[in-house]
Amino acid sequence: MEETYIDSLDPEKLLQCPYDKNHQIRACRFPYHLIKCRKNHPDVANKLATCPFNARHQVPRAEISHHISSCDDKSCIEQDVVNQTRNLGQETLAESTWQCPPCDEDWDKDLWEQTSTPFVWGTANYCGNNSSASNVVMEHKSNLASGMRVPKSLPYVLPWKNNARP
């Protein structure tokens, strides 16, 4: 049985397509092929049912109940369910000891303490009266080369958005 199990996991093993008996597909590509072939052969797809334990198993609808009772993958699923049930009973969740760290921030208070001067791009920004440097102008630093400056306003029509045709 061990050798059969290893053989079924071989990705290079050729499997026959249930939709077209002439198709021999490598096991590693089989799920993708099933999806593609199901779309190409809807008449055959309507006659087949998918196994609930392994989507690679496409069985004639008349035989699906027999397949479900004898499917090899059923035992794997049942074993997983049994193991999860056992572990659930043995597993005790530890009480969390995490505590929220103290917070000195008060965003509402900070909002009221801010200056009411609106932000305007390109103008000097003065510090608020609450600051120790209330008369200091905040300088804007430019990354442009010397002799270059930022335009004071944008052109009315941007050159690359010009709809005029030659």
Side-chain angles (χ1 to χ4, degrees):
M1 178 173 159
E2 182 71 26
E3 190 164 318
T4 307
Y5 182 71
I6 292 171
D7 189 40
S8 67
L9 295 178
D10 180 16
E12 299 301 316
K13 180 181 176 186
L14 291 178
L15 303 174
Q16 185 179 38
C17 174
Y19 300 104
D20 187 342
K21 303 299 179 191
N22 297 318
H23 292 174
Q24 295 292 316
I25 312 301
R26 290 182 309 164
C28 62
R29 299 293 307 158
F30 197 66
Y32 306 104
H33 178 82
L34 283 177
I35 293 168
K36 181 180 170 187
C37 230
R38 183 180 302 132
K39 290 178 183 175
N40 292 338
H41 301 282
D43 52 328
V44 179
N46 290 334
K47 296 176 184 173
L48 297 177
T50 304
C51 171
F53 304 111
N54 187 339
R56 293 178 178 205
H57 297 169
Q58 301 292 316
V59 183
R61 289 194 183 275
E63 299 174 18
I64 190 67
S65 59
H66 177 263
H67 175 81
I68 288 173
S69 63
S70 63
C71 182
D72 292 336
D73 293 322
K74 179 180 178 181
S75 61
C76 297
I77 301 291
E78 288 174 343
Q79 189 61 40
D80 286 345
V81 170
V82 169
N83 289 341
Q84 286 177 354
T85 313
R86 286 182 188 160
N87 292 341
L88 186 62
Q90 295 171 353
E91 208 174 281
T92 56
L93 298 176
E95 288 291 323
S96 175
T97 58
W98 184 85
Q99 293 180 352
C100 182
C103 181
D104 298 331
E105 294 180 348
D106 186 356
W107 291 5
D108 295 326
K109 181 181 170 189
D110 292 346
L111 184 65
W112 285 107
E113 290 178 355
Q114 287 180 354
T115 61
S116 61
T117 309
F119 173 78
V120 179
W121 180 259
T123 61
N125 186 12
Y126 293 93
C127 293
N129 293 336
N130 297 339
S131 165
S132 61
S134 61
N135 295 329
V136 176
V137 175
M138 299 294 285
E139 295 290 328
H140 291 287
K141 293 187 178 181
S142 174
N143 293 330
L144 295 174
S146 63
M148 305 263 318
R149 68 172 179 80
V150 177
K152 294 187 188 260
S153 66
L154 290 173
Y156 182 73
V157 177
L158 298 172
W160 59 85
K161 292 202 174 192
N162 189 358
N163 291 336
R165 293 188 177 134

